[in-house]
Amino acid sequence: NVANNLFEIRRNEDPAFSEIFETHSDKINSIQSRESLFANWWAIQNLLPLKNENKRWLTISYESLFLRPTLELEKISDYLNKPMTRFAMHKINMPSSTTRDGSGILENKDQLQNFKRHLSASQIIEILDIVNSYGIDCYSDAMEPDYKKLGYS
């Protein structure tokens, strides 16, 4: 099983994750598709920052950063007690130099709905079921997550 091998390699590389892998071994052992592999891997990587109730960090979602970059950067600036520079504000809506020709970003396409063009309805349900099984319930097939569940104020 490729999935088990991937998780076993990661467990051996970083024993700090062993407990997480063991706790969720039933989910890992039931991986049957590429989508479920990636959904499990994503959930395990994001479980701690998304579920930790005693956060000592500021949570910023990709979706909100994409849709409201100025607001999110101002939140980061306030959190860090560092003023936002004019340079950052000027560059905020410019694609990075690594953005490739044909990218949805350059073509101003809706990046947040892109997954719906590349996944079937059953694949989306499978991914969401797996993510939800880890207790991460702020995501759905909506364009944006449930910000209250993410701890947004």
Side-chain angles (χ1 to χ4, degrees), residues 26-88:
D26 58 325
K27 295 176 190 78
I28 293 167
N29 291 332
S30 67
I31 291 173
Q32 296 294 319
S33 68
R34 188 171 151 238
E35 292 77 24
S36 65
L37 170 68
F38 291 132
N40 275 278
W41 192 248
W42 182 91
I44 286 172
Q45 289 179 314
N46 290 281
L47 186 60
L48 180 64
L50 290 175
K51 294 303 294 177
N52 191 335
E53 303 300 327
N54 300 317
K55 293 181 180 173
R56 291 180 280 180
W57 57 82
L58 176 67
T59 300
I60 300 292
S61 80
Y62 169 82
E63 296 83 0
S64 187
L65 186 60
F66 181 82
L67 293 170
R68 296 171 287 283
T70 302
L71 175 69
E72 294 300 328
L73 287 181
E74 286 172 352
K75 283 169 59 175
I76 294 169
S77 175
D78 290 346
Y79 182 79
L80 297 173
N81 199 25
K82 298 279 186 188
M84 186 62 57
T85 66
R86 259 191 252 153
F87 178 77

Side-chain angles (χ1 to χ4, degrees), residues 103-120:
S103 163
I105 293 171
L106 288 178
E107 296 174 9
N108 203 20
K109 290 185 178 173
D110 186 358
Q111 292 299 105
L112 301 182
Q113 294 293 318
N114 197 31
F115 72 95
K116 290 183 179 179
R117 289 188 286 276
H118 298 285
L119 297 170
S120 69

Side-chain angles (χ1 to χ4, degrees), residues 112-147:
L112 301 182
Q113 294 293 318
N114 197 31
F115 72 95
K116 290 183 179 179
R117 289 188 286 276
H118 298 285
L119 297 170
S120 69
S122 63
Q123 288 171 315
I124 293 169
I125 290 168
E126 177 184 17
I127 291 166
L128 289 172
D129 285 348
I130 290 167
V131 169
N132 288 333
S133 76
Y134 283 87
I136 301 172
D137 61 353
C138 52
Y139 294 100
S140 68
D141 64 350
M143 187 168 70
E144 295 184 70
D146 181 329
Y147 290 112

Side-chain angles (χ1 to χ4, degrees), residues 6-31:
L6 173 66
F7 285 94
E8 193 61 39
I9 289 167
R10 186 67 178 126
R11 179 183 296 144
N12 292 333
E13 287 175 359
D14 190 348
F17 287 98
S18 290
E19 184 179 333
I20 292 171
F21 291 141
E22 288 167 19
T23 301
H24 301 289
S25 63
D26 58 325
K27 295 176 190 78
I28 293 167
N29 291 332
S30 67
I31 291 173

